[in-house]
């Protein structure tokens, strides 16, 4: 741990202090709650014999040590299923964890499972309307798992889009417990992402058939592990490491490798060492302070991460008593350089990023530039400098060594002093159309400002039908409204990406404006997303009509309708009843009615 942090950048310090002041009341109440829970001591000491007998009845050889309470008992909350490639490796983790803990006189139980849906499967389908709300369901399900109150710490197994944020929300709610997140790692590289994207565009224009598209997709998504592009899942993994919830260097180690298995064992040993039964208790609620969340924001900007985290980070933070605002994202993006080029911001996948020096190089140079809080606590111990080290198996023993000083591929990874761009590429947008965000790290500079007439749609399918009819022949701002959390659950509109990319490649100046979401792979077309207030609440998008002149200016942060008198119109009130039924949407009516705005995370529970 030779790296020392430079004096903190003035903007990072100012934003951190602003968050601290804004959050003072909420954070104070939160800390009082978890400190009161900690003061009661280890939970199992308060359980009646009958309670404990129920909890341990099926534990076989672990029953005696559990009953005697000799060592810590760790609750495992798992998002395992074998439909998600990223989560399939978790099938073997509980057995690995239990065996590892027996070695040190501790025990573990699978406290419960949480749902884990795949946005790659539900893109453009009705099931995607449950996607964002699944984050809150995951938090609730993890809360049920931990409610048995028989655990001295928690291990969370999850990787993908809503799963990690939901698990963090639960971990924060049970903030008196030490917690660690164990990743599963990315799948090995398959068909390059740019080749896959090319085939998708060819299919959108009818140049190739479904057989060619299917072959390309299967060659890209081909085995266990996270999808290898830098979308929401891999952005989550970066966040867990930068925020100190993973072991150093563990995020992007491939599944089913000796190093991956060794890191799983080490994670189990580590969380057992930081319970209240020992001398180094580290409740996760104390770790998740405003500095940790600012570090997460910095990592998001430095890597060009997924815009979905603009929704998830505020919800995660609120669960820990921290209040984030879009202005925090905007201000931090303005001073944090873009240091990584990973698809869709570049051609490399996350395996190439990791090989080039990965998060250890990135954290080292961000600390050196004064852009990270180095004085945070982490699951590995005090100080973020620990995360400049990378794990190695040396003669069969897991060892951490200093990570690279220099990038091993400067087309993928560069130091803060010589970045790909001076800013993180995420901008807050505001104007008479509301507040939203845009990610410009993959958008050409000459397309940061788009001023064109609007074409207004109320579904992504309607956009694609208009495209098939050849209706887009001039510069256009495509407005897709009634896609917010209250309207239909705020689905990703990622299936629009090939269509809009084709129009842009034809030479048209196009942009997307929506109260919905785009995925972390939204790419090269300028997109104003998460616009709030949403149309279903009578927000300004509901007043637009075809032909209104829209200006999206990512340079100044303006999102405006330039047509006089538009604000005096009555908002459109379409029939949204079709969003209420089918594929489980009936079950989520309460969520749609009670969700918060996108600007605070679009959550029902925090």
């Amino acid at each position: 741990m030779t790296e020392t942090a430079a004096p903190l950048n003035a903007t990072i310090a100012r934003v951190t202090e602003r968050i601290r002041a804004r959050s003072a009341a909420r954070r104070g109440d939160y800390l009082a709650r978890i400190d009161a829970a900690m003061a009661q001591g280890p939970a199992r000491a308060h359980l009646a014999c009958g309670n404990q007998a129920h909890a341990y009845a099926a534990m076989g050889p672990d029953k005696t040590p559990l009953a005697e309470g000799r060592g810590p008992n760790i609750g495992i909350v798992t998002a395992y299923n074998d439909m998600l490639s990223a989560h399939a490796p978790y099938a073997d983790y509980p057995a690995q964890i239990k065996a590892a803990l027996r070695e040190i006189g501790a025990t573990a139980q699978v406290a419960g499972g949480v749902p884990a849906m795949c946005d790659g499967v539900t893109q453009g389908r009705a099931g995607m309307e449950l996607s964002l709300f699944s984050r809150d369901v995951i938090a609730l399900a993890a809360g049920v798992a931990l409610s048995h109150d028989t655990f001295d710490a928690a291990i969370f197994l999850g990787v993908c889009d809503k799963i990690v944020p939901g698990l963090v929300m639960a971990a924060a709610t049970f903030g008196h417990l030490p917690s660690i997140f164990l990743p599963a790692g990315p799948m090995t590289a398959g068909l390059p992402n740019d080749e896959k994207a090319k085939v998708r565009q060819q299919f959108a224009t009818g140049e190739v058939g479904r057989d060619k598209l299917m072959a390309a997709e299967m060659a890209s998504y081909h085995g266990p592990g996270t999808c290898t592009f830098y979308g929401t899942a891999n952005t989550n993994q970066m966040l867990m490491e930068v925020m100190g919830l993973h072991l150093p260097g563990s995020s992007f180690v491939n599944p089913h490798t000796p190093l991956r298995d060794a890191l799983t064992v080490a994670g189990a040993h580590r969380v057992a060492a930081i319970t209240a039964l020992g001398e180094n208790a580290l409740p996760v609620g104390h770790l998740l302070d405003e500095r940790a969340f600012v570090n997460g924001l910095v990592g998001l900007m430095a890597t060009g991460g997924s815009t979905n985290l603009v929704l998830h980070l505020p919800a995660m933070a609120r669960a820990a008593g921290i209040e984030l605002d879009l202005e925090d994202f905007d201000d931090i993006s303005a001073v944090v350089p873009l240091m990584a080029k990973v698809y869709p911001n570049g051609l490399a996948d996350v395996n190439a990023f990791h090989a080039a020096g990965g998060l250890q190089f990135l954290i080292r140079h961000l600390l050196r530039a004064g852009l990270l809080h180095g004085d945070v606590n982490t699951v590995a111990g005090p100080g973020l400098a620990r995360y400049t080290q990378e794990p190695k198996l040396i003669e069969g023993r897991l060892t951490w060594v200093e990570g690279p000083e220099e990038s091993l591929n400067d087309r993928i990874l560069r130091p803060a002093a010589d970045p790909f761009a001076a800013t993180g590429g995420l901008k807050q947008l505001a104007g008479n159309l509301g507040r939203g965000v845009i990610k410009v790290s993959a958008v050409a500079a000459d397309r940061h400002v788009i001023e064109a007439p609007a074409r207004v749609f109320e579904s992504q399918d309607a956009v694609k039908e208009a495209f098939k009819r050849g209706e887009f022949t001039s510069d256009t701002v495509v407005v897709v409204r009634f896609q917010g959390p209250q309207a239909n659950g705020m689905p990703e509109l990622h299936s629009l990406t090939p269509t809009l990319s084709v129009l842009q490649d034809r030479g048209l100046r196009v942009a997307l404006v929506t109260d919905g979401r785009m995925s972390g792979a939204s790419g090269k077309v300028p997109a104003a997303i998460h616009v709030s207030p949403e149309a279903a609440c009578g927000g300004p998008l509901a007043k637009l009509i075809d032909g209104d002149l829209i200006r999206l200016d990512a340079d100044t942060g303006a999102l405006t309708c330039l047509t006089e008198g538009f604000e005096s119109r009555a908002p459109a009130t379409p029939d949204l009843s079709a969003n209420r039924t089918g594929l489980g949407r009936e079950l989520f009516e309460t969520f749609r009615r009670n969700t918060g705005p996108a600007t605070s995370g679009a959550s029902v529970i925090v």
Side-chain angles (χ1 to χ4, degrees), residues 156-524:
F156 292 95
L157 307 180
V159 175
C160 287
D161 296 26
K162 271 62 58 187
I163 294 91
V164 166
L167 292 175
V168 171
M169 290 162 70
T173 303
F174 286 79
H176 62 288
L177 292 176
S179 296
I180 195 168
F181 283 65
L182 300 184
M187 69 177 69
T188 55
L191 181 74
N193 286 296
D194 59 325
E195 293 184 30
K196 175 190 67 180
K198 181 180 179 181
V199 175
R200 284 179 174 178
Q201 288 186 221
Q202 289 173 330
F203 179 75
T205 59
E207 296 174 58
V208 301
R210 186 170 293 276
D211 58 336
K212 299 292 186 185
L213 177 64
M214 189 65 181
E217 298 289 353
M218 293 295 286
S220 178
Y221 307 116
H222 64 89
T226 320
C227 306
T228 60
F229 66 87
Y230 195 54
T232 310
N234 285 317
T235 303
N236 283 339
Q237 301 311 289
M238 176 278 300
L239 280 171
M240 293 302 93
E241 190 153 341
V242 171
M243 292 176 67
L245 293 173
H246 278 177
L247 290 180
S250 63
S251 297
F252 298 126
V253 176
N254 300 124
H256 305 311
T257 61
L259 181 57
R260 175 85 279 154
D261 291 344
L263 286 164
T264 300
V265 170
H269 287 175
R270 178 59 187 166
V271 79
I274 56 175
T275 72
L277 296 176
E279 297 179 358
N280 300 302
L282 180 59
V284 74
H286 284 205
L287 186 158
L288 288 170
D289 64 10
E290 64 281 346
R291 296 170 300 169
F293 281 101
V294 167
N295 283 352
L297 292 177
V298 171
L300 181 67
M301 305 311 167
T303 58
S306 168
T307 54
N308 278 329
L309 273 299
V310 182
L311 287 169
H312 298 322
L313 274 164
M316 292 154 63
R318 287 174 72 86
I322 306 293
E323 297 182 15
L324 300 181
D325 187 83
L326 291 183
E327 66 175 346
D328 304 323
F329 290 83
D330 191 69
D331 287 353
I332 289 176
S333 180
V335 298
V336 175
L338 179 66
M339 298 167 60
K341 280 279 190 180
V342 189
Y343 190 85
N345 299 337
L347 298 181
D349 68 10
V350 293
N351 292 301
F353 166 77
H354 185 62
L359 290 176
Q360 280 49 67
F361 173 89
L362 187 104
I363 291 170
R364 180 184 304 282
H365 284 271
L366 286 170
L367 285 169
R368 196 169 286 176
L371 292 168
L372 286 171
H373 289 279
D375 59 345
V376 293
N377 216 336
T378 77
V379 295
L384 197 62
R386 296 174 183 272
Y387 287 74
T388 64
Q389 297 185 315
E390 61 183 4
K392 300 284 187 182
L393 275 180
I394 299 175
E395 297 181 351
R397 182 175 180 178
L398 182 62
T399 306
W400 272 267
V401 301
E402 285 298 325
E405 279 272 348
E406 305 293 331
S407 171
L408 301 179
N409 188 333
D410 64 7
R411 293 174 296 173
I412 300 171
L413 189 59
R414 293 182 183 174
D418 181 30
F420 293 101
T423 67
L426 195 71
K427 291 280 292 187
Q428 176 183 214
L429 298 171
N432 62 6
L433 290 177
R435 296 175 76 199
V437 294
I438 183 170
K439 178 182 175 182
V440 294
S441 50
V443 176
D446 64 352
R447 295 184 180 273
H448 285 193
V449 180
I450 302 290
E451 185 174 307
R455 279 293 309 274
V456 182
F457 300 90
E458 292 170 3
S459 74
Q460 57 185 324
D461 288 339
V463 178
K464 289 185 280 190
E465 289 302 317
F467 172 78
K468 290 177 182 177
R469 292 192 297 266
E471 295 180 6
F472 296 107
T473 58
S474 59
D475 296 349
T476 307
V477 173
V478 176
V479 177
V480 187
R481 63 189 182 187
F482 296 100
Q483 304 299 308
Q486 290 196 22
N488 63 354
M490 205 178 187
E492 285 184 356
L493 306 178
H494 180 43
S495 68
L496 288 179
T497 300
T499 299
L500 297 175
S501 297
V502 168
L503 294 177
Q504 183 166 278
D505 290 346
R506 288 175 179 172
L508 300 183
R509 296 184 64 78
V510 295
L512 174 69
V513 175
T514 181
D515 48 9
R517 295 186 291 137
M518 291 292 282
S519 102
S522 52
K524 63 187 179 180

Side-chain angles (χ1 to χ4, degrees), residues 40-66:
Q40 296 177 16
R44 282 187 295 149
H46 306 291
L47 291 179
C49 293
N51 299 129
Q52 294 194 53
H54 277 288
Y56 311 150
M59 293 306 294
D62 291 326
K63 286 174 70 172
T64 298
L66 279 165

